[in-house]
Amino acid sequence: MSSTSQANPRVVVIGAGIVGCSLADELTALGWTDVTVLEQGPLPAPGGSTSHAPGLVFQTNPSKTLTEFAAYTVGKFAALEADGQSCFHRVGGLELATTEARLAELHRRAGYAASWGVRGEVVRPSRCKELWPLLDETKVLGGFHTPDDGLARAVLACRAQMARAEARGARFLERHTVTGIERENGRVAGVVTDRGTFPADHVVSAAGFWGPVVGRMAGVDVPLLPLAHQYARTRPLPELAGATAEASRPILRFQDRDLYFREHTDHIGIGSYAHRPLPVDPFTVPAYDEAPVMPSSYPFTPEDFAPSWKDCAWLLPALGKADIQEGFNGVFSFTPDGMPVLGESRSLRGFWLAEAVWVTHSAGVAKAVAEWMVEGRPRTDVHECDLTRFEDAQRSPAYVRERGSQQFVEVYDVIHPLQPMERPRPLRVSPFYARQEQLGAYFLEGGGWERPHWYEANAPLAEGLDLPERDAWSARHWSPIAAAEAKATREKVALYDMTPLRRLEVTGPGALAFLQRMTTNNLAKKPGAVTYTLLLDESGGIRSDLTVARLAENRFQIGANSRADEDWLLRHAPDDVHIRDITSGTCCIGVWGPLARDLVQPLTRDDFSHQGFGYFRAKQTYLGHVPVTAMRLSYVGELGWELYTSADLGLRLWDTLWEAGQEHGVVAAGRSAFNSLRLEKGYRSWGHDMTGEHTPYEAGVGFAVRMDKGDFVGRAALEKAGEPRRKLTALLLDDPTAVVLGKEPVYVDGVPAGYVTSAAYGYTLGRCVAYAWLPPLPTGTAVHVEYVGQKVSATVADEPLFDPEMSRIRR
């Protein structure tokens, strides 16, 4: 359902760059034809990032979502024409490796391409030379060639989509500067410009690097940093003399030196990310008529480009005799995590963001946002782009500037999937942080939180363990200590810091009825019950999974995944329901292992026996001097509890458990062991193993759906769902020394058939465990996973792989 009941609501789009034009086309194609696009500059090239974009489109990305956005953009623009010219020039793409580390990265990128359905292959230096004769092939170790990539003609694509949208009823108004956003009863009501006011039911900010300016008018934070990026064009090259086509060779990336190249007939265009970050204040960008060239074009700074020019000549010797004819510093947008910012504001309903979007992903983003507005949800999973994803601590101007600048620096860096940001750290820490530091915690970061992955204090426990040797990539941000911590959890007892997991409190007379309507499982149980359940959208896709504890008649504590969960519940909550995020004021320790009861029971007068405190039950009690909410849950497949208390008592809780655990051999354990244990048990991780693109029955969590409990969001869609055509499938790698990390393609009968979602070495099983989305396959089916260019054999396995009788948890 859309957020307005009108059949053809009034939509005002702010910005007629590539995103605004694409969105007008997509909205009108879906039947919303009352669309007005306002632009402060002249059309069709109003002076934003679109007007100067060099148009490079490389589809392959570690993000499946961004790859799908790019693939849609390529397909759409290739089918569009303006002035008899295609809006996309399919010259292909070529990414070069001049180091062994980069060559391995290109093999990983080829794996992403196979996982997400993009044609591409790693090629030899001789083939690179064939594709780009100006290369010095002696400097090149290999390349990644993608024949369907190429050049988007962004201004032409704007014109073509404007014409289509206008034919369906949309209008585009140039020279209209937005000065305000009108609102009424918490909803957007109109857009004020220097040439009049435009009533609206929906307003979309597609203003590019002016997004924060528009956002401030609406009272909506837009965590986006504009940065200037150098682009230069050589004088005509004798080696390209006689060229008549705009470009005939693939667009070229020299990522080892933060450079890219494209042809402009007999000139070469060069883009550089090698220079210092050049932030731009969007509130001081000149108007179109006041800008020397255009608002997005700043003066070229030759001193920043000088080192890159030497690197250009090193790779392309012909440039050693050439010079730069012209250049500029073009402004475009970065966010703290490098992803777009999409979605509807809850503080101002009907106000949408489609910001921090590059030409590469423009049409795909527009399609997703249009579907979101018209149909109530995008057909592509966009949780990585959701405007709610940033925590409050990640929205400060200082954070956005620092992280946005670092995203610019890292555009072409080889980034490990576990690589943490360097600054600002530490930002968010649990009450146990001081003790974790004393134990030598190796911290990684997520959502601003410092998260221990293992503890150096446990290094002696790892001595003598028989573990396979790891390659350099999988050994990064990993330690054999994780195996020792997993072993200690299986054999004794371990403490896990679960504080970063989001906690919500839902209270009020309507709380039960509300949660029953919003989730899939039956929550109508007596206080003390804990239930695993799902949040679905109207199409039956999994928005999130939750753990809901009924602590009193009208009070529930929810273990959630992200701010988006809170946002979704708040959007639907009636007046008699109150929702509060209690994460920062509370903390949590997971106490797990066969000796967990031996540790905890002497600290309390309450009965923690299996009969007195059953699985998926909750109690409010005291451990020593500390009031806790204890929940008998286990995400690692062992006996134990999640213990919650207020943040001020967290350190006392840790010390109480640590002291009591000494006689039982207690250890502190980190996320690395945790992930291994949860995969052995087959527990899903939302956002990795399942998203809104998957139904419960596909994801293997259909047990959390109670169709007989009454109506709930997504129920009607599940009733119509047929047999799953894909399943989240457990794989065991055949070679006990092999490891994969996630996102690798899975081959069935030699053909890519799916991709890995999560993977970790199962220390209890002595094999790497991988979960993958695949067509339904019988147990025992042989498959292959491609890891850095090598095919690794694996077998479809029954799950759970560990303790299928659940005897270790229920004792």
Side-chain angles (χ1 to χ4, degrees), residues 428-435 449 497-501 503 557 580-589 626-629 643-655:
R428 306 176 79 191
V429 299
S430 80
F432 325 127
Y433 182 70
R435 298 293 183 264
W449 287 100
D497 181 2
M498 306 301 289
T499 301
L501 300 184
R503 291 172 290 285
Q557 181 173 311
R580 186 167 66 101
D581 187 333
I582 60 172
T583 309
S584 59
T586 56
C587 58
C588 178
I589 299 175
V626 182
V628 299
T629 299
L643 303 173
Y644 299 88
T645 193
S646 55
D648 60 319
L649 290 166
L651 192 60
R652 184 61 178 261
L653 176 61
W654 179 280
D655 289 344

Side-chain angles (χ1 to χ4, degrees), residues 116-462:
W116 316 144
V118 176
R119 286 201 304 156
E121 63 173 337
V122 176
V123 297
R124 296 178 180 275
S126 57
R127 178 59 176 153
C128 296
K129 178 74 170 179
E130 289 175 17
L131 291 165
W132 252 85
L134 297 185
L135 280 175
D136 179 352
E137 68 178 301
T138 66
K139 306 289 176 56
V140 177
L141 301 180
F144 176 44
H145 180 224
T146 47
D148 298 323
D149 289 339
L151 295 166
R153 298 183 173 110
V155 175
L156 282 183
C158 284
R159 287 176 52 198
Q161 293 178 104
M162 286 171 63
R164 298 200 327 176
E166 285 174 332
R168 301 186 192 109
R171 58 177 176 165
F172 291 76
L173 303 178
E174 63 180 5
R175 301 288 189 174
H176 281 65
T177 299
V178 174
T179 59
I181 305 295
E182 290 189 336
R183 52 192 107 180
E184 188 177 314
N185 299 324
R187 281 198 62 89
V188 74
V191 177
V192 182
T193 77
D194 58 351
R195 299 175 64 178
T197 298
F198 295 82
D201 302 300
H202 293 271
V203 172
V204 185
S205 178
F209 59 78
W210 285 285
V213 179
V214 175
R216 181 175 291 183
M217 296 177 197
V220 174
D221 178 45
V222 182
L224 172 162
L225 178 72
L227 285 138
H229 159 60
Q230 291 201 300
Y231 192 78
R233 192 186 295 211
T234 67
R235 295 189 187 279
L237 298 180
E239 292 81 359
L240 299 180
T244 56
E246 175 193 6
S248 59
R249 296 172 178 84
I251 48 177
L252 187 68
R253 272 177 166 171
F254 180 22
Q255 290 137 304
D256 289 324
R257 292 293 185 274
D258 297 310
L259 292 166
Y260 64 80
F261 306 86
R262 59 153 295 182
E263 295 169 294
H264 295 276
T265 59
D266 57 351
H267 308 250
I268 298 290
I270 306 163
S272 172
Y273 293 99
H275 55 85
R276 62 195 167 95
L278 299 168
V280 172
D281 183 350
F283 293 89
T284 63
V285 174
Y288 187 91
D289 293 326
E290 298 168 1
V293 180
M294 61 174 122
S296 63
S297 181
Y298 278 59
F300 191 63
T301 47
E303 66 277 10
D304 288 312
F305 195 72
S308 291
W309 183 238
K310 292 180 181 178
D311 292 331
C312 294
W314 182 83
L315 182 70
L316 306 173
L319 297 185
K321 303 172 186 176
D323 57 9
I324 298 298
Q325 183 177 43
E326 60 184 347
F328 66 97
N329 291 358
V331 182
F332 64 144
S333 303
F334 284 81
T335 59
D337 61 2
M339 300 293 286
V341 180
L342 312 177
E344 183 191 20
S345 167
R346 182 171 45 81
S347 61
L348 182 59
R349 300 292 181 91
F351 183 81
W352 296 77
L353 296 179
E355 296 291 10
V357 182
W358 296 4
V359 171
T360 300
H361 311 111
S362 54
V365 163
K367 175 177 179 287
V369 173
E371 291 165 351
W372 208 343
M373 295 173 71
V374 176
E375 300 171 358
R377 68 181 290 272
R379 298 171 202 171
T380 300
D381 169 55
V382 296
H383 81 272
E384 295 174 307
C385 311
D386 195 303
L387 62 86
T388 65
R389 70 187 182 273
F390 296 112
E391 302 289 335
D392 289 342
Q394 297 173 303
R395 289 179 170 271
S396 70
Y399 186 96
V400 173
R401 183 183 178 91
E402 190 162 13
R403 291 305 306 153
S405 296
Q406 190 62 26
Q407 286 296 328
F408 178 91
V409 171
E410 294 175 352
V411 160
Y412 282 167
D413 285 4
V414 176
I415 304 292
H416 192 275
L418 292 176
Q419 182 171 321
M421 66 182 190
E422 295 177 4
R423 299 180 308 275
R425 291 182 64 195
L427 184 62
R428 306 176 79 191
V429 299
S430 80
F432 325 127
Y433 182 70
R435 298 293 183 264
Q436 293 165 344
E437 283 195 307
Q438 291 167 6
L439 293 169
Y442 182 86
F443 290 103
L444 298 181
E445 182 270 345
W449 287 100
E450 295 297 318
R451 309 180 96 170
H453 273 242
W454 65 83
Y455 295 84
E456 288 297 329
N458 297 325
L461 302 178

Side-chain angles (χ1 to χ4, degrees), residues 706-770:
R706 293 288 183 269
M707 298 294 282
D708 59 352
K709 74 159 188 171
D711 196 23
F712 56 85
V713 175
R715 185 182 189 281
L718 293 185
E719 285 181 324
K720 299 173 187 174
E723 284 296 310
R725 292 179 293 175
R726 58 184 176 176
K727 285 192 172 183
L728 188 60
T729 304
L731 303 177
L732 273 177
L733 271 56
D734 297 339
D735 182 351
T737 68
V739 173
V740 300
L741 300 180
K743 300 188 177 181
E744 297 89 355
V746 181
Y747 290 75
V748 179
D749 297 328
V751 178
Y755 59 91
V756 174
T757 58
S758 295
Y761 198 84
Y763 302 110
T764 319
L765 302 173
R767 291 280 194 285
C768 184
V769 180

